[in-house]
Amino acid sequence: MRKVLPFVLGIFLVIVVGVYWVLNYTGSNKDLATGSPYLITVESGMTTTDIANLLHKQKLVKTPEAFRLEAKFRGLERDLQAGRYEITAGMSNSEIVDVLSKGQVQRVKFTVPEGYTVVKAGKKLEAEGIGSAEKFIEAARNYTPYPYMETSDPNVIYKAEGFIFPSTYMFDVGMNEKDMLEMMVKEFNTQMNKENIPEEAEKQKMSIRDLVNMASLVEMEAVYKEEQQRIAGVFLRRLEIYMPIQSDTTIQYILGTQKEELTIADTKIQNPYNTYQNPGLPPGPIASPGLSAIKAVLHPEKTDFLYFVAEKDGHHRFTRTYSEHLAAIDDIHGQQ
């Protein structure tokens, strides 16, 4: 036994030294260093061998065997996670295993501003190189994961319109457009419940869809948040007396562009979203309202104002009668 023990220890030492040499020399990848970052996608179900071959093909590891040994020796071969990763050429096998086992996927930041439409959000995604505008817009057409988003109105263009919560998101690089939309709409639902919006809307006998619809008009009309409650009050009062809302923002939505000045002809466009020609709310929201606009509709300022016109600084002048409204327009913009 005494003669065998040194031999066994010697063999063990050779193995340890051999593994150490493989991990530290063949696993350095310094010869491949270019300083350039590469994006790789580890698909769900890929084995360590698959990942090693993928990295070798991208010239990120010298030998697939050394990479597999690194993961196996550290007990992490089953912990390499699926996702989209940024790997810099020259990183050692040990560093790459750390990134993949910790799920340090590459992410990109994307912000949806208040008042953005489905189309504007899609175009912004594409402009920032994150996704396809066409695919995002198409995904929003009939996307209704929550009951309050459902509508049978055939005139609604995008059922997800208004339910994309204005916020900043972190997307995994390579995430598809439908998953991005899902994240945005889920955030809307989370924030609504967090602020007890459904309960407040129910007390006022208002559906979430109608609430968001009205809030989208308020969001687009109010340049300054302090005017949102008063604008909401004007629109709600008009609805109460069966007076058309006559919001320019609905015309802008129809035109698909922000026109500095609308014409009389614009207000006569035959379209279900035209609140000059059609009483009540438009078929659906025209943009994504922020929380303040939604709360403004739930807690409007009670006044007897029925009209308002934009001042040159973006504030609004509110009036009670049509003659006062015309006088305000003449005073601000000169006689028409």
Side-chain angles (χ1 to χ4, degrees):
M1 188 67 181
R2 289 179 181 178
K3 292 181 180 180
V4 173
L5 186 59
F7 177 75
V8 172
L9 289 175
I11 294 296
F12 178 74
L13 184 61
V14 169
I15 293 173
V16 170
V17 171
V19 170
Y20 178 83
W21 184 86
V22 170
L23 295 181
N24 287 276
Y25 291 92
T26 64
S28 72
N29 301 318
K30 285 183 179 179
D31 294 343
L32 303 176
T34 62
S36 300
Y38 292 85
L39 292 175
I40 66 160
T41 301
V42 176
E43 303 286 353
S44 179
M46 288 180 75
T47 65
T48 306
T49 299
D50 295 330
I51 297 170
N53 291 335
L54 171 65
L55 291 166
H56 180 61
K57 186 178 180 180
Q58 294 292 326
K59 296 184 179 179
L60 294 171
V61 300
K62 285 193 297 186
T63 59
E65 294 78 10
F67 179 84
R68 291 203 309 271
L69 184 59
E70 175 74 38
K72 186 178 182 65
F73 184 75
R74 294 176 59 188
L76 295 173
E77 59 183 336
R78 296 182 181 277
D79 296 328
L80 306 185
Q81 301 178 38
R84 184 82 163 168
Y85 297 89
E86 182 179 280
I87 306 295
T88 302
M91 288 174 66
S92 69
N93 287 346
S94 177
E95 290 172 324
I96 299 173
V97 167
D98 281 339
V99 170
L100 301 187
S101 63
K102 293 175 182 177
Q104 296 173 345
V105 295
Q106 178 68 10
R107 289 188 169 91
V108 291
K109 182 187 292 186
F110 181 71
T111 299
V112 179
E114 294 174 342
Y116 257 47
T117 63
V118 162
V119 172
K120 285 188 74 173
K123 288 182 177 179
K124 188 171 188 282
L125 273 172
E126 189 163 294
E128 295 179 15
I130 298 172
S132 160
E134 182 181 356
K135 289 180 180 178
F136 181 82
I137 293 167
E138 188 56 37
R141 194 173 297 281
N142 292 300
Y143 187 66
T144 55
Y146 301 103
Y148 54 75
M149 295 174 66
E150 287 287 356
T151 175
S152 58
D153 192 329
N155 296 308
V156 172
I157 303 171
Y158 306 107
K159 290 183 179 178
E161 189 77 271
F163 300 97
I164 294 173
F165 192 73
S167 185
T168 296
Y169 299 89
M170 295 301 294
F171 296 139
D172 292 351
V173 172
M175 179 183 283
N176 66 50
E177 291 76 9
K178 187 174 181 181
D179 287 344
M180 294 178 195
L181 176 64
E182 179 183 357
M183 187 182 291
M184 297 174 187
V185 173
K186 184 177 181 180
E187 182 63 13
F188 174 90
N189 188 65
T190 297
Q191 293 300 324
M192 291 303 100
N193 288 314
K194 182 180 177 182
E195 298 291 331
N196 298 315
I197 300 299
E199 291 80 2
E200 288 197 51
E202 187 175 0
K203 287 178 184 176
Q204 299 189 33
K205 298 180 179 179
M206 183 181 291
S207 71
I208 297 296
R209 177 165 272 280
D210 283 350
L211 169 61
V212 175
N213 198 341
M214 175 62 81
S216 71
L217 302 181
V218 173
E219 181 68 58
M220 298 306 290
E221 287 282 5
V223 176
Y224 298 96
K225 291 187 186 298
E226 62 264 26
E227 291 189 342
Q228 288 182 334
Q229 287 180 289
R230 181 168 289 188
I231 290 173
V234 171
F235 285 156
L236 289 168
R237 188 159 180 257
R238 282 183 167 229
L239 286 180
E240 287 174 3
I241 63 175
Y242 302 102
M243 181 179 181
I245 291 176
Q246 295 181 320
S247 173
D248 288 357
T249 61
T250 58
I251 307 300
Q252 307 279 17
Y253 186 71
I254 294 167
L255 296 174
T257 182
Q258 198 65 27
K259 203 173 177 183
E260 283 191 22
E261 282 191 36
L262 294 179
T263 64
I264 297 298
D266 291 330
T267 64
K268 292 182 178 179
I269 294 173
Q270 294 301 307
N271 188 289
Y273 280 84
N274 187 340
T275 54
Y276 278 86
Q277 300 296 319
N278 304 293
L281 290 166
I286 61 169
S288 293
L291 271 176
S292 62
I294 291 172
K295 290 181 177 180
V297 176
L298 291 171
H299 306 286
E301 183 178 334
K302 303 289 185 180
T303 70
D304 55 356
F305 293 129
L306 280 174
Y307 302 89
F308 58 83
V309 60
E311 302 267 10
K312 292 181 179 178
D313 66 353
H315 286 90
H316 290 85
R317 191 179 302 184
F318 296 82
T319 51
R320 296 167 176 79
T321 67
Y322 186 57
S323 59
E324 289 176 348
H325 178 60
L326 292 178
I329 293 174
D330 288 345
D331 182 47
I332 297 168
H333 301 290
Q335 290 192 355
Q336 304 295 303

